[in-house]
Amino acid sequence: MGNQLALTHYLATFIEGLVRAGVEDVVISPGSRSTPIAILMEEHPTIKTWMNIDERSAAFFALGIAKASRKPVALLCTSGTAAANYFPAIVEATHSRVPLIVLTADRPHELRDVGAPQAINQIELYGKYSKWFVEMALPESTTNILHYAYSVATRAVSTSLSSPAGVVHLNFPLREPLLPNLEELQWNLIGIEKAVYSHAKQSLPEELVPLIQEIQDKKKGIIICGPHDQEAFPDAVVSLAEVLGYPVIADPLSQVRSGTHSKECIIDCYDTILKSTKMFQAMKPEVIIRFGAMPVSKLLMQFISQSDVSHQFIIDQDEGWRDPTFTGTHFVHMNEIDFCHQVSKMVEAVPQARESEYLNKWKVANEVVKPILRSKLTDFHFEGDVVRHLVNLLDEDMSLFIGNSMPIRDIDTFFFAQDRRIRLFANRGANGIDGIISTALGISTRVKRVILLVGDLTFYHDLNGLLASKMHSLPITVVLVNNNGGGIFSFLPQAKEEKNFEQLFGTPVDLDYEKVVSMYDGQFSRVSSWGEFEEAVSISFNSKQLSVIEVPTTDRSQNVLLHRQLWDQAVQQLDGLQEI
């Protein structure tokens, strides 16, 4: 009885510490060794528990909740390979800077390395992908140990949020009996409050001031906004661009392409513009100011790499080193919004007219390309049209989650700047195709409506994730682009290796996804025209369940030709411009 009471007090105190430090959600997978933590999580009056049977799906589901809420989410599983199945999502969370608190139950020390079942080495299981690892003390109810449990919990939350945000792993060795004593359950046994603070530098470094003054004389400057999700950032960066007279090269995941802020300086067709060798050479800047992760566009990365700039400022409040091109000259570790505001004030304080000839050249090129990218193609095999039709159907404040490979690249090309506020998500930390459905469903717990745009192989890769929609009544619209294989490889050099291409890269699976969707109580539509597509998508927005709209575009080679037809037309028009 004493051990059971100690177990209850110890774990309840730890859970209370998580909650008081700001944790609102925990995603639980079933298991025996984690029983007492799971039961006490369920008993807590304010914490929201989500059951997700498959640990890999559970981890990505938690990732989605954390992305949407911008708050740390706890994960709980039993011992053994259950914990190992978290690893792909932990890698993504680390690279995407998403706060997760991973709680793994474990065998007590006497049952390790002796052949006990479901016992693996869980000490620092995630290696460098965890910011902080703690092998928790065995449960006791002494005052010092209860303070220890509470302190570790609050520190775990703080550490997961501190720059850069990421993963904390706490491993709990637990002895039997594993049932808590609910009759003696009390919250906040130690009777203390503990505040947890996280902050980022807010002042412009003094040594940067003369450099900012120096770049005011540089007329050929660009601002590059990569994947970034920070409220009020779009307004701040647009204001900075307007006072500097610089174009904003806005990745779709920067959240800068949509919203009520000014779009006057925003360039959204840069990837197509840079396909013109003439433009690539003519538009090289003298100054680059860069925010966020590296952009989706490979051409834009090459443009950064090959631009011989005197100053490239990389602004990152999380103190990272996002510079795979090795061209950054100044790394500024401060809040991105504060940087925009402070530099804007400095520039405005100098009374001079901002010449915008360079900006106007970008705008002219953008205006030439956009109508071509919007032009109609009658062929139903063109996957770019999925984006063009889908975006027109989205309502204000909807969220679009984009799968990797071709969907994110088509979004980069065909999602244009607009006044509707559409929040865009993707797992671009490690750029993998695993866990996409689960992440999108996690996001759906916190936003108005999620539309998932995904390819067939990515959809197949996370079919287990669909169970969360059924278990928790989470409605979501899935637009499934089915080209029966890996469409992106058709754009790559290996497509020329016809002998082995389909076996090694095309990988057709010939699956009927309607049967899978039915198994999870979802609605399924297979469309054969854009009229049918628009109708099915519009109907799905009002559905209270999983809705999957499949767009069969099985001719992958034709899709490549149609993309290149638009790009070639755009390049021809750009190369004919006299003023560039």
Side-chain angles (χ1 to χ4, degrees), residues 319-330:
E319 301 186 10
W321 201 265
R322 288 167 158 169
D323 186 30
T325 64
F326 305 108
T327 56
T329 61
H330 301 85

Side-chain angles (χ1 to χ4, degrees), residues 560-571:
V560 174
L561 290 175
L562 291 170
H563 275 83
R564 288 178 176 162
Q565 176 182 321
L566 286 180
W567 292 333
D568 289 347
Q569 185 180 346
V571 168

Side-chain angles (χ1 to χ4, degrees), residues 24-304:
E24 299 174 352
D25 299 85
V26 59
V27 180
I28 302 172
S29 294
S32 176
R33 190 61 51 171
S34 55
T35 293
I37 308 177
I39 289 176
L40 292 171
M41 291 281 196
E42 188 69 22
E43 288 291 321
H44 195 278
T46 64
I47 202 166
K48 172 66 176 176
T49 58
W50 302 90
M51 178 56 64
N52 199 308
I53 295 170
D54 182 312
E55 284 84 8
R56 187 179 76 165
S57 296
F60 278 105
F61 185 78
L63 179 80
I65 298 175
K67 273 178 175 271
S69 65
R70 303 185 181 96
K71 295 180 180 179
V73 174
L75 269 166
L76 172 65
C77 71
T78 190
S79 63
T81 56
N85 280 297
Y86 282 164
F87 199 59
I90 286 171
V91 171
E92 176 63 29
T94 298
H95 284 284
S96 294
R97 303 178 179 182
V98 176
L100 290 181
I101 300 171
V102 179
L103 314 175
T104 55
D106 201 355
R107 293 298 198 258
H109 302 78
E110 67 269 18
L111 293 182
R112 298 176 183 176
D113 294 324
V114 294
Q118 209 169 329
I120 68 171
N121 184 359
Q122 296 177 199
I123 305 300
E124 297 188 346
L125 179 61
Y126 309 117
K128 292 184 178 180
Y129 289 99
S130 173
K131 295 179 64 177
W132 187 42
F133 169 79
V134 178
E135 167 80 340
M136 296 295 290
L138 288 162
E140 295 180 19
S141 57
T142 62
T143 300
N144 282 346
I145 288 294
L146 293 182
H147 276 271
Y148 157 81
Y150 192 97
S151 177
V152 170
T154 56
R155 183 179 172 188
V157 175
S158 178
T159 302
S160 73
L161 286 169
S162 64
S163 299
V167 177
V168 169
H169 176 203
L170 309 179
N171 193 56
F172 285 80
L174 300 173
R175 292 193 178 106
E176 296 181 358
L178 297 171
L179 287 175
N181 185 338
L182 297 183
E183 292 182 0
E184 301 292 333
L185 175 60
Q186 298 178 52
W187 302 108
N188 197 21
L189 279 167
I190 57 177
I192 65 169
E193 301 282 351
K194 185 168 291 191
V196 180
Y197 300 97
S198 63
H199 68 279
K201 297 181 180 68
Q202 296 178 324
S203 299
L204 199 66
E206 290 184 10
E207 61 270 22
L208 204 61
V209 173
L211 293 173
I212 297 299
Q213 294 170 339
E214 183 180 332
I215 71 167
Q216 293 181 82
D217 296 326
K218 307 286 186 182
K219 310 306 181 188
K220 296 177 66 175
I222 59 174
I223 297 173
I224 297 177
C225 297
H228 191 68
D229 188 10
Q230 185 182 25
E231 287 185 281
F233 174 70
D235 283 306
V237 77
V238 166
S239 296
L240 174 62
E242 288 175 346
V243 298
L244 286 172
Y246 290 176
V248 177
I249 310 299
D251 184 278
L253 297 175
S254 68
Q255 315 303 328
V256 176
R257 289 196 195 180
S258 67
T260 56
H261 53 275
S262 169
K263 312 297 185 309
E264 187 66 25
C265 297
I266 293 175
I267 306 300
D268 48 14
C269 299
Y270 50 83
D271 184 76
T272 302
I273 292 170
L274 294 175
K275 292 183 190 302
S276 162
T277 303
K278 175 184 175 181
M279 295 298 299
F280 192 99
Q281 296 299 327
M283 304 307 291
K284 287 183 178 179
E286 301 171 289
V287 175
I288 296 175
I289 301 174
R290 191 159 63 75
F291 299 92
M294 294 308 294
V296 170
S297 169
K298 184 177 180 179
L299 264 175
L300 182 54
M301 285 188 62
Q302 293 173 348
F303 184 68
I304 295 171

Side-chain angles (χ1 to χ4, degrees), residues 363-412:
K363 291 166 69 173
V364 167
N366 209 56
E367 290 165 4
V368 166
V369 167
K370 192 172 296 186
I372 296 171
L373 296 179
R374 282 177 166 160
S375 60
K376 288 187 177 181
L377 292 174
T378 57
D379 199 306
F380 193 64
H381 295 295
F382 180 50
E383 296 175 9
D385 261 341
V386 178
V387 173
R388 300 196 298 190
H389 286 272
L390 176 61
V391 170
N392 288 335
L393 298 171
L394 300 180
D395 291 334
E396 179 84 5
D397 289 329
M398 283 186 171
S399 295
L400 180 60
F401 193 99
I402 309 124
N404 285 320
S405 298
M406 278 311 298
I408 188 63
R409 287 164 175 82
D410 278 335
I411 284 288
D412 194 18

